[in-house]
Amino acid sequence: MRKLSRRQFAGATGALLQAGIATGQTTGASEMREVFPGVWRLRFGRPEPITPVSTRKYAPAEATASRLPKIETPPFALDSIVSYRSGRGTIVRLPLAPNELIYGLGLQLQSFEQRGRKKKLRVNADPNMDSGDSHAPVPFWVTTSGYGVLIDSARYVTVYCGDKQTKGHEANQPTEFLAEVPVAEGVDIYLFAGPSMRDAVSRYNLFSGGGPLPPKWGLGFWYRCFGQFNQEQVLQMGSQLRDSRIPCDVLGLEPGWQTHAYSCTFVWSDKFPDPRAMLHKLASEHYHVNLWEHAFTYPTSPIYKPLYPVSGDYEVWNGIVPDFLEPEARRIFSDFHEREHVALGVDGYKLDECDNSDFTRNWSFPELSSFPSGADGEQMHCLFGLRYQDTIQSIFERRNQRTLGLVRSSQALAAPYPYVLYSDLYDHREFIRGVANAGFSGLLWCPEVRDAKNAEDLIRRLQTVVFSPLAMVNAWYIQNPPWKQVDRESNNRGKFATGWQKLESQCRDIITWRMRLLPYLYAAYVNYHQTGLPPFRALVMDYPEDPGTRTVDNQYFMGDALLVAPVVAGETQRDVYLPPGDWYDFWTGEKHAGAATLKVSPPLERIPVYVKSGTLLPLSEGGLHADDPANARIHVRSYGPTTGTAILFEDDGEMNSQFTRVELRWQSVRRTGPGAKQPYRVVGWEQSGI
């Protein structure tokens, strides 16, 4: 919880009020109201009608809020947060303790701990500067004092994360967190109590609606096919992966499946003369198909004319921009997709290009656009990714069908969506930092494998993605799998690398570990769904009192038990920080004391992973796909002299399933609950650290 003395509150508030009077119209909060257990809303002035909260799809997950500690008082006093109007918009000032550290603000790929930084939280594709531009800028942050704050705005909010002082401030006076909301005449601020960072983030995610519950196949391995493949070539790629014993659950089709892709028609091209038959064939081989698209709609699309009246006034790539804030636009778009794709057997979508492009060829609609809903271009950019997800997700909810997809943009309250953020233009270190950072803001991030400089680079990137929210090779511009040839030009000429079979075998072993982890990973997602605790998160979220965790942006937790420390190609050594307690090497079982930094030299075939003492770790035998019976045969590893429990879940895979909950204890197995389709069978135990 945020702790300032009454004198500090009074002093800070007085300074902020004085600054407000000097520069604009000071506005106190008209109310502070608890709107969810441990969540309070402060309203300043007159908020805009279009915001993330006002347009949200999912209601707060009140049924599971009781899982968090009960909090009676808000993190701040009513009069300690000050807002005022200026000619620039609405300014908000919050006291900030001298040593209080700040995390979050969405998918920040260039930096981790945000204290002292200025960020303009603007939707933008592939930023290469630490300015705040992001695929998913979220005006939510948490601090080491154990609380979170959300600014409910669909504007490009600018934040100053501490270390700014007003003129004439007193010595030792708390500094402040400043936020500027452009245009707005007021704003709602939401405060999320802890008492810890972990609890504050969980509370934010439950307020958002709780974490998503993906299908097990979505947590398997994904392979996106060459963008110009035809129907027969897609089927051949599926057969090739199976013949090579490469585990795979999802085949992705890239732009060439449509008659026109930039902008989109959403109509199968003549390369796919019988998509229903193709989808049926792939389903019989336990493949799920994911379609690439973006929302900009080409004039020859069957939904162009119906969408025209509910679209914006500017085009993108000669296509109209649907106003997904309008129910009619969502209905037209989703009905067509359900009839022409999902009813045939399509299992999900990759929603591309729904961010912005100010500094990447400037292809998207301008901020001065207007839309029938009343949103301008800035607001639409902030919300477009979320409302696009709403549109597509409504299809699967109507059908009681789970999905897991990809999306290029998101914003606040995104936790319930089964869509993982992605992009391809980042180096490996930024990909890793994205996994650690995304968990602060209710986001999931895929460090996809696309470019690889050499075999070592491919292996190290593949190891990272296998221990990430979504394990995917994106081969959209190479005709053959990268383990046959990493060089793009040679790959597309069919010239394979000498001895490529060895690299394929190494990649097969890495991907098989993803399948072995499925029972553990699925349980982590169920926990996210039920408690709001992110399955992938930075070390500092669990150990905020440990100074050693506060700047660690190249490691992260996968579930409660695994600490992952990826290696970048070219590194022969790396430092691994282990938080307090005992930890065990995942590969060797060697014990290490925590609150210490290890210098490790991992061999190429191993990514450094450490297991928390007291863990029972369930691992499957690793099948070729999620439905493979090998994934239901469990081997359990025990780490440490005493162990807790491991929880497994089995269900029928539908959206409203009943779970079988399997609780594993040392030397005992107890099953409870209805609805088991194929209960796990424990067939082996391993023990380390006794």
Side-chain angles (χ1 to χ4, degrees):
M1 279 270 290
R2 179 76 168 90
K3 295 179 180 178
L4 288 180
S5 70
R6 188 180 300 273
R7 178 175 296 178
Q8 286 175 315
F9 268 137
T13 302
L16 299 183
L17 284 170
Q18 185 176 21
I21 292 170
T23 56
Q25 181 181 356
T26 304
T27 306
S30 59
E31 63 173 356
M32 177 185 279
R33 184 165 68 89
E34 189 173 20
V35 294
F36 185 76
V39 180
W40 286 265
R41 186 190 72 191
L42 286 80
R43 173 158 290 174
F44 295 95
R46 186 172 63 184
E48 293 190 290
I50 296 175
T51 71
V53 171
S54 70
T55 61
R56 67 186 299 166
K57 174 180 174 63
Y58 294 103
E62 296 203 36
T64 56
S66 61
R67 298 174 185 267
L68 292 173
K70 188 175 182 180
I71 303 293
E72 300 291 345
T73 57
F76 290 92
L78 175 62
D79 61 355
S80 65
I81 301 177
V82 173
S83 174
Y84 63 87
R85 287 286 314 285
S86 77
R88 300 170 61 90
T90 294
I91 314 300
V92 179
R93 299 176 179 242
L94 301 90
L96 195 65
N99 297 316
E100 194 172 1
L101 301 183
I102 298 165
Y103 302 88
L105 303 176
L107 184 68
Q108 297 296 323
L109 295 169
Q110 311 296 327
S111 59
F112 181 66
E113 196 278 304
Q114 304 298 336
R115 178 70 187 240
R117 300 180 188 272
K118 174 188 176 182
K119 296 288 177 76
K120 185 172 185 177
L121 303 178
R122 179 174 58 174
V123 184
N124 211 29
D126 309 314
N128 55 22
M129 295 180 62
D130 190 24
S131 60
D133 286 352
S134 170
H135 302 284
V138 181
F140 172 78
W141 66 95
V142 290
T143 84
T144 46
S145 292
Y147 68 90
V149 181
L150 170 68
I151 297 177
D152 181 31
S153 175
R155 294 291 178 188
Y156 296 163
V157 177
T158 298
V159 296
Y160 300 81
C161 303
D163 302 336
K164 300 293 183 185
Q165 294 282 12
T166 56
K167 183 173 67 175
H169 70 275
E170 300 176 6
N172 300 319
Q173 175 189 319
T175 185
E176 54 191 16
F177 187 105
L178 308 177
E180 180 182 75
V181 185
V183 181
E185 297 180 3
V187 70
D188 285 337
I189 307 293
Y190 290 82
L191 307 178
F192 297 82
S196 68
M197 287 179 67
R198 176 173 159 141
D199 291 328
V201 169
S202 296
R203 207 177 298 274
Y204 167 73
N205 289 332
L206 290 178
F207 177 73
S208 302
L213 189 59
K216 284 185 180 177
W217 56 259
L219 301 180
F221 188 71
W222 294 44
Y223 187 92
R224 303 203 71 85
C225 298
F226 182 57
Q228 297 306 313
F229 270 0
N230 60 30
Q231 179 170 318
E232 186 58 34
Q233 289 169 313
V234 171
L235 292 170
Q236 289 172 359
M237 179 55 66
S239 296
Q240 180 186 149
L241 292 171
R242 291 284 185 257
D243 292 344
S244 302
R245 307 294 294 172
I246 301 291
C248 187
D249 275 286
V250 179
L251 289 178
L253 305 189
E254 288 293 304
W257 72 269
Q258 297 184 52
T259 55
H260 197 277
Y262 282 84
S263 50
C264 289
T265 59
F266 318 107
V267 174
W268 296 94
S269 76
D270 56 10
K271 294 179 182 178
F272 294 83
D274 193 349
R276 186 187 297 273
M278 178 193 69
L279 294 166
H280 179 76
K281 172 66 173 173
L282 290 172
S284 72
E285 298 172 354
H286 300 277
Y287 282 113
H288 298 263
V289 173
N290 178 282
L291 295 183
W292 174 98
E293 67 165 47
H294 59 236
F296 312 128
T297 305
Y298 193 63
T300 61
S301 171
I303 57 175
Y304 179 86
K305 288 184 178 180
L307 279 175
Y308 195 90
V310 282
S311 62
D313 57 350
Y314 278 83
E315 295 181 342
V316 177
W317 293 310
N318 299 316
I320 55 174
V321 182
D323 184 351
F324 288 137
L325 289 169
E326 287 287 324
E328 181 65 4
R330 297 196 299 270
R331 184 195 65 78
I332 294 166
F333 202 88
S334 65
D335 284 356
F336 180 85
H337 280 61
E338 180 172 15
R339 182 176 65 253
E340 300 297 327
H341 308 152
V342 179
L344 274 60
V346 168
D347 294 290
Y349 291 89
K350 175 182 177 180
L351 310 180
D352 205 2
E353 323 289 9
C354 53
D355 42 21
N356 198 357
S357 63
D358 283 3
F359 301 110
T360 50
R361 302 186 303 280
N362 196 25
W363 46 256
S364 196
F365 56 88
E367 278 77 359
L368 52 79
S369 301
S370 63
F371 290 83
S373 61
D376 61 30
E378 178 182 359
Q379 293 171 308
M380 187 58 71
H381 277 305
C382 288
L383 297 174
F384 195 62
L386 283 172
R387 305 291 77 90
Y388 191 5
Q389 293 173 72
D390 289 344
T391 304
I392 296 299
Q393 187 61 13
S394 67
I395 301 169
F396 297 98
E397 291 179 350
R398 288 196 296 266
R399 301 173 69 88
N400 192 28
Q401 179 179 339
R402 287 195 217 166
T403 187
L404 186 64
L406 293 153
V407 68
R408 259 273 287 270
S409 178
S410 207
Q411 221 249 19
L413 309 181
Y417 293 91
Y419 294 85
V420 182
L421 289 156
Y422 72 94
S423 189
D424 59 306
L425 297 182
Y426 301 107
D427 68 28
H428 194 179
R429 286 185 174 84
E430 291 169 328
F431 272 140
I432 296 166
R433 185 181 296 119
V435 177
N437 259 342
F440 292 116
S441 304
L443 305 170
L444 298 167
W445 169 247
C446 171
E448 65 174 51
V449 179
R450 187 181 298 199
D451 283 324
K453 298 175 182 177
N454 49 43
E456 179 195 7
D457 193 25
L458 176 63
I459 287 173
R460 289 308 192 191
R461 287 174 179 268
L462 191 59
Q463 288 170 341
T464 299
V465 82
V466 160
F467 285 85
S468 85
L470 192 145
M472 182 174 74
V473 165
N474 187 357
W476 78 271
Y477 57 41
I478 53 175
Q479 296 195 45
N480 301 285
W483 41 82
K484 293 188 175 183
Q485 174 60 263
V486 297
D487 180 74
R488 177 177 180 177
E489 183 178 343
S490 298
N491 186 300
N492 288 328
R493 293 203 318 265
K495 183 179 179 181
F496 297 162
T498 303
W500 63 265
Q501 293 88 347
K502 179 181 178 181
L503 181 57
E504 180 185 69
S505 178
Q506 292 172 309
C507 292
R508 180 190 301 111
D509 290 344
I510 295 168
I511 297 168
T512 298
W513 271 108
R514 176 68 173 201
M515 307 308 291
R516 295 203 66 190
L517 288 162
L518 277 185
Y520 171 79
L521 184 56
Y522 187 64
Y525 272 91
V526 172
N527 188 53
Y528 187 27
H529 180 67
Q530 295 178 342
T531 71
L533 181 64
F536 292 84
R537 55 190 185 271
L539 274 58
V540 69
M541 195 183 298
D542 286 29
Y543 296 89
E545 303 302 323
D546 178 11
T549 67
R550 293 176 181 174
T551 59
V552 177
D553 64 353
N554 60 355
Q555 302 172 211
Y556 49 84
F557 285 122
M558 180 181 187
D560 288 338
L562 299 184
L563 185 155
V564 183
V567 177
V568 174
E571 292 181 344
T572 57
Q573 288 186 325
R574 69 151 291 166
D575 290 342
V576 177
Y577 182 76
L578 299 178
D582 290 333
W583 299 84
Y584 294 87
D585 188 300
F586 176 79
W587 306 105
T588 68
E590 182 181 359
K591 179 180 176 180
H592 299 277
T597 298
L598 303 180
K599 188 171 289 292
V600 300
S601 301
L604 182 60
E605 66 271 14
R606 292 180 184 169
I607 176 176
V609 179
Y610 297 86
V611 188
K612 186 184 298 185
S613 182
T615 294
L616 287 182
L617 182 64
L619 297 169
S620 82
E621 291 185 351
L624 288 178
H625 48 79
D627 294 332
D628 193 320
N631 291 318
R633 296 193 293 268
I634 303 299
H635 294 254
V636 181
R637 292 183 180 179
S638 174
Y639 293 88
T642 60
T643 53
T645 61
I647 306 299
L648 303 176
F649 294 90
E650 185 62 41
D651 56 61
D652 60 12
E654 295 182 351
M655 192 165 286
N656 299 314
S657 326
Q658 294 292 316
F659 289 101
T660 291
R661 181 178 183 273
V662 181
E663 182 174 321
L664 304 182
R665 296 180 182 273
W666 184 242
Q667 294 183 335
S668 70
V669 179
R670 181 160 57 90
R671 297 185 177 94
T672 61
K677 184 178 74 169
Q678 185 182 26
Y680 291 110
R681 181 164 62 91
V682 179
V683 297
W685 295 84
E686 302 174 39
Q687 189 170 16
S688 299
I690 298 298

